[in-house]
Amino acid sequence: MNGVVIPQTPIAVDFWSLRRAGTARLFFLSHMHSDHTVGLSSTWARPLYCSPITAHLLHRHLQVSKQWIRALEIGESHVLPLDETGQETMTVTLIDANHCPGSVMFLFEGYFGTILYTGDFRYTPSMLKEPALTLGKQIDTLYLDNTNCNPALVLPSRQEATRQIVHLIRQFPRHNIKIGLYSLGKESLLEHLALEFQTWVVLNPRRLELVQLLGLADVFTVEERAGRIHAVDHTEICHSAMLQWNQTHPTIAILPTSRPIRSPHPGIYTIPYSDHSSYSELRAFVEALRPCRVVPIVRQQPCGEFFEDSLSPRLSIPLIPHSVQQYMCSSPRKTHVLWQLARRLKRPRIQGVVFESPEEKADQAKVDRDSKKDKKENLSPRPEDPEKLSLHPLQARKQLFPDSSREDCEEPVLLWDPKKMTTLDLSVQSQPEDEFLSAETREETGLGPPLIPRVGKDSPARGTQGSLVGYDSPLSRISRDTHPAAESRGLALKYLLTPVNFFRAGFSSRNFDQQVEKYQQSIQCHNPDGSLRC
């Protein structure tokens, strides 16, 4: 992994291990090569600064959310805060690194002095003409790409390496050409070869999308047989693949890299085409900048001793501002206050409980308590209150037989309605049981002999309940002076105790209505003195 957390600052470049990042709060990505994105994935949830091309590739290939990607234009200076309040700031300038599409160098300027982080880069003299480097700024710390920092390794320029590749291909005019590349980089080499040999360059769809983004010449295709030059992944070039390719058509393979590779097949050629600076180029670059300190990016290859004669006197270590110290020591969850505030504002508001004034609702609360008390008394009466005990079965009977005839009675019956409380005057006429109750049913329910209505001289006046007499019935003990409402409620209780099988077998609401109608007619035919009128 090639990355660093810059000491005494909240800056991290190409470093994506949050556990090891410690005090880092600002994260920068130099380019999209895999050795610089270790630990960076779709789960990343911190602001990340990079070039526009890298921003596109980062979202496209690593699925990092766009809300965390901050694309900065190359060649321009950008001011970024170094604390939560913006009291302390720094300036960052992106410089083209001449390495791969989207690769940049970062020039940081702030309380810590001036820091240049090259990332992977291929030096050219034109870099020293960048406005950010021509103002006579003293580079305090130079983080240098030391991949090829070896005096024994002599590399040609990329222009010279390109000529070597062209010369090699011309030696095999009838062969297909396989060029082994990494996932990103050397697209300009492919374009040059296509124009030189007037052929299509075959790419995979992913790299084709990239070259279209870069605006290169229209010389690329995904058609396998359209051209003789094929760009493949460098891992595909091996002995077995060469045997397979040559079975169908004569083929050679080219690996444009500065790394020493032992050829496993005589048809595989290595050309020292490199996107990293050579030793001589690094020397020229350091001598032109004359930094105070050089820090190698590739830690396994120390190179400090090669540039000691090109360094400027080191300056004193700057003090970290107090606001920056608090920013670096604060919890990472609190470092993006503005983003958190914006996120909370976007959340839908949840309606809370609305509390009303006790003074305004005191009377209503009392009414509610009284109604609840009445409801409880009506639906759950005490056993010692027989009047209330009989209300519940009567209400149930009323619900079972809604079509029963109603006449005014001497005493109103209170019923509770879920929608409103009201007082209804109901009269439930007792019916001769022997007209619709079988003997088996009477035995099962324990009602005894049938109840016979008394109609005669002593029968009550019209509009009141007639008395009922049974031989061994529980109601036979009821006095003639018993209130008709009580007798009717007792009869309703018997109806409720009737087995369900009886209702299913020999009873229907229609038959019951007919019996009620017949009984009312029989009552209407009697005069008050007991004589018949019809």
Side-chain angles (χ1 to χ4, degrees), residues 517-530:
E517 184 179 358
K518 183 185 297 184
Y519 180 70
Q520 290 179 348
Q521 291 176 357
S522 64
I523 294 178
Q524 293 174 0
C525 290
H526 288 78
N527 292 318
D529 57 356

Side-chain angles (χ1 to χ4, degrees), residues 445-477:
T445 58
L447 294 179
L451 299 176
I452 303 174
R454 286 188 174 183
V455 181
K457 294 182 179 181
D458 298 332
S459 55
R462 223 179 133 193
T464 61
Q465 279 293 50
S467 60
L468 301 175
V469 179
Y471 300 105
D472 295 324
S473 170
L475 297 182
S476 61
R477 294 184 295 273

Side-chain angles (χ1 to χ4, degrees), residues 420-436:
K420 59 182 180 178
M421 295 293 293
T422 184
T423 302
L424 301 178
D425 293 338
L426 301 179
S427 174
V428 181
Q429 300 291 339
S430 60
Q431 305 298 328
E433 282 189 355
D434 56 343
E435 294 187 10
F436 59 87

Side-chain angles (χ1 to χ4, degrees), residues 391-441:
L391 278 178
H392 184 228
L394 182 58
Q395 296 169 20
R397 180 183 183 278
K398 184 59 185 175
Q399 295 176 2
L400 288 175
F401 314 121
D403 297 331
S404 58
S405 62
R406 301 178 180 179
E407 293 186 4
D408 295 339
C409 62
E410 297 178 359
E411 180 179 342
V413 180
L414 296 179
L415 295 179
W416 181 82
D417 190 344
K419 297 181 180 179
K420 59 182 180 178
M421 295 293 293
T422 184
T423 302
L424 301 178
D425 293 338
L426 301 179
S427 174
V428 181
Q429 300 291 339
S430 60
Q431 305 298 328
E433 282 189 355
D434 56 343
E435 294 187 10
F436 59 87
L437 289 179
S438 63
E440 294 80 1
T441 303

